[in-house]
Amino acid sequence: HHHHIAVLAGDGIGPEVMAEALKVLDAVSAKFGFTVSRKEAFVGGAGIDHCGKALPEETIRACEEADAVLFGSVGGPKWEHLPANEQPERGALLPLRKHFGLYANLRPGVCLPALTHASPIKNELIEGGFDILCVRELTGGLYFGQPRFREEEGDDEVVVDTMRYHKSEMVRIAKVAFEAARGRRKRVTSVDKANVLTNSLLWRETMTEVARDYPDVELLHMYVDNAAMQLVRNPRQFDVLVTENLFGDILSDEMAMICGSLGMLPSASLCQGAKDNGLFFGLYEPSGGSAPDIAGKGIANPIAQILSLSMLLRYSLGEKKAADAIDSAVRSVIDQGYRTGDLATGAAGEIRVNTAEMGNAVVAAL
Amino acid sequence: HHHHIAVLAGDGIGPEVMAEALKVLDAVSAKFGFTVSRKEAFVGGAGIDHCGKALPEETIRACEEADAVLFGSVGGPKWEHLPANEQPERGALLPLRKHFGLYANLRPGVCLPALTHASPIKNELIEGGFDILCVRELTGGLYFGQPRFREEEGDDEVVVDTMRYHKSEMVRIAKVAFEAARGRRKRVTSVDKANVLTNSLLWRETMTEVARDYPDVELLHMYVDNAAMQLVRNPRQFDVLVTENLFGDILSDEMAMICGSLGMLPSASLCQGAKDNGLFFGLYEPSGGSAPDIAGKGIANPIAQILSLSMLLRYSLGEKKAADAIDSAVRSVIDQGYRTGDLATGAAGEIRVNTAEMGNAVVAAL
Ligand SMILES: [Mg+2]
Ligand SMILES: [Mg+2]
């Protein structure tokens, strides 16, 4: 197989951790017999510096021509004086999502067995770690629905936002969740507020309908307030969580916090791919930011970027074996004790490494 | 001072734990020199059995004539065959809230220093326990806003719910939060999503406006997704949390779970009192349910009911010293090692007690 990806390293630690992800890409493509041509392009502050804007036209074109986009991170103090809409994050990430209509936000919430100490949850509740995938609808609901307005003045002011979904938006996000669950532990927990919201009635009906096409996947329903409790009480009960935009915003952040190690968490924003083969076009990026405070020092944790590559291989290129191999290699280096500064605790058996050494360790473990 | 309250013990463990709360009321009223006349009335399953409905007219009248309502719990298998709207919970609690327009839901999230082991959060993050008060707007927003509808059919179906607030609804809930903070650690954290929602813009402006009348209270703003993270990461940072209905539904449950001991958590639903003296009319009840599995055995934990009484004294009767005394007495009996079954761990120094013994211990500690 031959694939094309766009590589947008961006700012801060972006280029450093991207270099390690590309090392890993070289290794898995050689091992599993596929090729990936990469088009590198400027984005964020780097886009502003080289091309005058956070999302240059040629960067958009590179993304359009690719099967997927591997994104680093953008932003930093150098560009904070700019108007909000021209700044790296607002000026690059949001327009990219909008340009491609990326409606599915996937965030793994993984706590590896060797890192449960870093989670705020008591060890006995998460022994053996946990592995959740949160699938959040990203382009509908209360954050985008019309009408939204303020009317009247002073003490009589009234304010309105609208939670609006078209059934087709629910169907397509459901499919993403069920497809993902098929490659995992085959359980989807759909989160709604069906005891109160009209939206949730259609949501629940739609999830149940789509589930019929996935008889091998179990579907459970849970109210959003209960989900917020269950994530804390017993995160191991979840495989794939699927929910609408606002609920997903809240729950995915709660879930990430419960994992404990933000430097380990990738994310993906997907839309339907060009071919009807179960693959998605998508933008893959670490959950963390550009970390300008440690940029250029070569000490950042590259694992979130490496796991972003793994997601890209799985969901956009269909190279599942390569993705599984990367996930296993990451687990293995953590089990062996390799720790960048953000993960280190000083415990016996830890091997302190920098960015490149961690990347090399993952390659070696493949 | 002379006060009037309605006592609605309800079903299941309700009457058992209510008996202990009333013992405590006798003790504090004698000690602090006030009197409280109590009108007992049937509610829930007891209402159905004695008067044919979950919320009898005479019960409503008893509540109308009172300064506050001390509520036990309702429901149980005996009444589960009834139509949903006639069942104890739907037929009593919701109509009561609606009849009195109880717009402010107060839920303390308290983890006592001696009970941090019961929290799912790691001990080192909550050493010394924590004490949050969540103030949730209960009658507005997405759960009640119009329009709400489903339109078109099949694959073209569209669904709409509306998040709508009148400024006056925001002002009055803000006042509840600031008044409460004055009697506590004088910090209000207002939770919104002002980077996305029009509702949250007016919410944030209104909180800032009301804060001007409370120069002794600090006001902080936090996004709802961040709040969901911060509750897990560092609950000790919060004093009073105030937020709209939907966000409060999610966050208050997450907070309760983080406390670890549901049998310790009271709640209150308030509206403006008859006099303009900073006091509220309200319904006070344990957060937990009627626990039919242990009803009649005399082993239920009465502390949530006793702390509901403390909230009633504080917010509806203005008997702050009595409320403080009860809160201290509860802390003291827990520190001394008294444990009902739900709290017991078998650790050395624990004194296993039943419902009445726990009530007696609180009275003795007053
Ligand atoms: Mg968020
Ligand atoms: Mg709730």
Side-chain angles (χ1 to χ4, degrees):
Chain A
H1 302 91
H2 186 68
H3 311 284
H4 302 265
I5 67 169
V7 174
L8 279 51
D11 312 319
I13 60 170
E16 299 163 47
V17 295
M18 185 64 83
E20 303 312 310
L22 295 179
K23 269 187 204 167
V24 172
L25 178 56
D26 286 336
V28 290
S29 56
K31 179 166 183 180
F32 292 95
F34 59 90
T35 53
V36 180
S37 69
R38 310 158 190 176
K39 173 88 178 166
E40 303 202 5
F42 293 117
V43 75
I48 295 168
D49 289 355
H50 288 89
C51 318
K53 56 201 286 198
L55 185 61
E57 310 302 333
E58 59 219 74
T59 299
I60 298 179
R61 211 155 39 239
C63 296
E64 283 173 343
E65 289 164 1
D67 301 314
V69 179
L70 191 60
F71 194 95
S73 53
V74 292
K78 184 176 174 189
W79 305 281
E80 275 168 11
H81 67 281
L82 293 170
N85 283 338
E86 293 175 27
Q87 284 188 23
E89 288 205 82
R90 285 238 192 163
L93 217 39
L94 297 187
L96 261 179
R97 285 193 183 144
K98 193 168 177 189
H99 181 82
F100 290 101
L102 302 175
Y103 60 81
N105 186 228
L106 271 63
R107 285 176 66 182
V110 175
C111 182
L112 294 180
L115 297 179
T116 56
H117 62 85
S119 166
I121 305 298
K122 285 197 165 82
N123 288 330
E124 59 265 35
L125 295 176
I126 53 172
E127 227 169 321
F130 56 87
D131 178 353
I132 310 171
L133 178 68
C134 182
V135 177
R136 166 188 172 192
E137 203 290 326
L138 200 56
T139 54
L142 199 65
Y143 291 177
F144 296 94
Q146 292 293 338
R148 46 196 294 135
F149 59 84
R150 300 172 66 157
E151 70 178 6
E152 308 299 328
E153 302 253 306
D155 291 347
D156 280 328
E157 189 161 354
V158 168
V159 67
V160 166
D161 291 275
T162 298
M163 181 182 269
R164 176 191 297 270
Y165 268 105
H166 193 283
K167 179 164 176 173
S168 60
E169 296 174 295
M170 296 181 176
V171 169
R172 66 185 185 179
I173 193 75
K175 286 181 179 169
V176 174
F178 281 98
E179 289 289 339
R182 258 197 180 151
R184 296 170 46 97
R185 300 193 307 280
K186 300 186 170 51
R187 168 182 289 193
V188 169
T189 303
S190 165
V191 175
D192 63 36
K193 188 70 185 175
N195 51 344
V196 183
L197 297 180
T198 311
N199 264 267
S200 293
L201 294 176
L202 182 59
W203 177 272
R204 197 171 271 216
E205 289 168 21
T206 305
M207 295 299 132
T208 305
E209 230 175 88
V210 172
R212 284 190 207 117
D213 293 335
Y214 298 85
D216 51 323
V217 178
E218 181 188 14
L219 172 65
L220 303 171
H221 300 282
M222 189 177 277
Y223 295 140
V224 60
D225 43 346
N226 188 28
M229 294 200 285
Q230 296 303 323
L231 274 171
V232 175
R233 198 185 70 83
N234 179 17
R236 288 178 298 193
Q237 75 188 278
F238 296 112
D239 177 19
V240 174
L241 272 173
V242 62
T243 192
E244 62 87 48
N245 200 346
L246 167 64
F247 296 164
D249 190 8
I250 299 171
L251 293 181
S252 65
D253 279 337
E254 182 186 346
M255 178 193 72
M257 180 56 73
I258 285 167
C259 294
S261 310
L262 288 174
M264 300 288 290
L265 300 180
S267 76
S269 300
L270 309 181
C271 65
Q272 194 51 57
K275 297 168 204 147
D276 190 20
N277 55 2
L279 295 178
F280 300 92
F281 176 81
L283 178 94
Y284 299 84
E285 56 177 326
S287 281
S290 63
D293 51 317
I294 59 163
K297 296 185 179 165
I299 59 171
N301 184 351
I303 289 182
Q305 189 74 60
I306 291 168
L307 291 175
S308 299
L309 169 66
S310 155
M311 292 187 82
L312 182 154
L313 290 164
R314 185 181 306 281
Y315 295 107
S316 284
L317 307 191
E319 300 287 356
K320 292 198 166 60
K321 282 182 185 163
D324 287 342
I326 294 173
D327 293 353
S328 297
V330 166
R331 279 171 192 262
S332 165
V333 301
I334 295 296
D335 283 344
Q336 291 168 57
Y338 289 95
R339 300 284 185 272
T340 42
D342 57 313
L343 302 177
T345 65
E350 287 187 357
I351 307 160
R352 276 295 290 268
V353 291
N354 61 26
T355 308
E357 289 163 346
M358 184 64 102
N360 295 342
V362 173
V363 169
L366 276 167
Chain B
H1 301 90
H2 187 68
H3 311 284
H4 304 265
I5 68 170
V7 175
L8 279 52
D11 312 319
I13 60 169
E16 300 163 47
V17 296
M18 186 64 82
E20 302 312 310
L22 295 179
K23 270 187 204 166
V24 172
L25 178 55
D26 286 336
V28 291
S29 56
K31 178 165 183 180
F32 293 96
F34 59 91
T35 54
V36 180
S37 69
R38 309 156 191 178
K39 173 88 178 164
E40 303 202 5
F42 294 117
V43 75
I48 295 168
D49 290 354
H50 289 88
C51 318
K53 53 201 287 198
L55 185 62
E57 311 300 335
E58 58 220 75
T59 299
I60 298 178
R61 211 155 39 241
C63 296
E64 284 172 344
E65 288 163 2
D67 301 314
V69 180
L70 191 60
F71 194 95
S73 53
V74 292
K78 185 178 175 187
W79 306 283
E80 274 169 9
H81 67 282
L82 293 171
N85 284 337
E86 294 174 27
Q87 285 188 24
E89 288 204 81
R90 284 236 192 164
L93 217 40
L94 297 186
L96 262 178
R97 285 194 183 144
K98 193 168 177 189
H99 181 83
F100 289 101
L102 303 175
Y103 60 81
N105 186 227
L106 271 62
R107 286 176 67 182
V110 176
C111 182
L112 294 181
L115 297 179
T116 55
H117 62 84
S119 166
I121 305 298
K122 283 196 165 81
N123 287 331
E124 60 264 36
L125 295 176
I126 53 172
E127 227 170 319
F130 56 86
D131 179 352
I132 309 172
L133 178 68
C134 183
V135 177
R136 167 188 171 191
E137 203 291 325
L138 201 57
T139 55
L142 198 66
Y143 291 178
F144 296 95
Q146 292 294 338
R148 46 196 294 133
F149 60 84
R150 299 171 67 157
E151 69 177 6
E152 309 297 332
E153 301 254 306
D155 291 346
D156 280 329
E157 189 162 353
V158 168
V159 66
V160 165
D161 291 276
T162 299
M163 182 182 267
R164 176 191 298 269
Y165 268 104
H166 192 283
K167 179 164 176 171
S168 60
E169 296 174 294
M170 296 181 177
V171 169
R172 66 185 185 180
I173 193 75
K175 284 181 178 167
V176 174
F178 281 98
E179 288 291 339
R182 258 197 181 150
R184 296 171 46 98
R185 300 193 307 282
K186 299 187 171 50
R187 167 182 290 194
V188 170
T189 303
S190 165
V191 174
D192 63 35
K193 188 72 185 176
N195 50 344
V196 182
L197 297 180
T198 312
N199 265 267
S200 292
L201 294 176
L202 182 59
W203 177 274
R204 196 171 273 218
E205 288 170 21
T206 305
M207 294 299 132
T208 304
E209 231 175 87
V210 172
R212 284 189 208 116
D213 294 334
Y214 298 85
D216 50 323
V217 179
E218 181 188 14
L219 172 64
L220 304 171
H221 301 282
M222 189 177 278
Y223 295 139
V224 60
D225 44 346
N226 189 27
M229 295 200 284
Q230 296 302 322
L231 274 172
V232 176
R233 198 184 72 83
N234 180 17
R236 289 179 297 192
Q237 74 188 280
F238 296 112
D239 178 18
V240 174
L241 271 173
V242 61
T243 191
E244 63 86 47
N245 200 347
L246 166 64
F247 297 164
D249 190 8
I250 300 171
L251 294 181
S252 65
D253 279 337
E254 181 186 346
M255 178 192 72
M257 181 55 73
I258 285 167
C259 294
S261 310
L262 289 174
M264 301 286 291
L265 300 180
S267 76
S269 300
L270 310 181
C271 65
Q272 194 52 56
K275 299 168 203 146
D276 191 20
N277 55 3
L279 295 178
F280 301 91
F281 176 82
L283 178 93
Y284 299 83
E285 56 178 326
S287 281
S290 62
D293 52 315
I294 59 164
K297 297 184 179 165
I299 59 172
N301 183 351
I303 289 183
Q305 189 73 61
I306 291 168
L307 292 175
S308 298
L309 169 67
S310 155
M311 292 187 83
L312 183 154
L313 290 163
R314 185 181 305 281
Y315 295 108
S316 283
L317 306 191
E319 298 288 355
K320 292 198 167 60
K321 282 182 186 162
D324 288 342
I326 295 174
D327 293 353
S328 297
V330 166
R331 279 169 194 262
S332 165
V333 300
I334 295 296
D335 282 344
Q336 290 168 57
Y338 289 95
R339 299 285 185 272
T340 41
D342 58 312
L343 301 177
T345 65
E350 287 187 356
I351 307 161
R352 276 294 291 267
V353 290
N354 62 24
T355 308
E357 289 164 343
M358 184 62 104
N360 295 342
V362 173
V363 169
L366 276 166

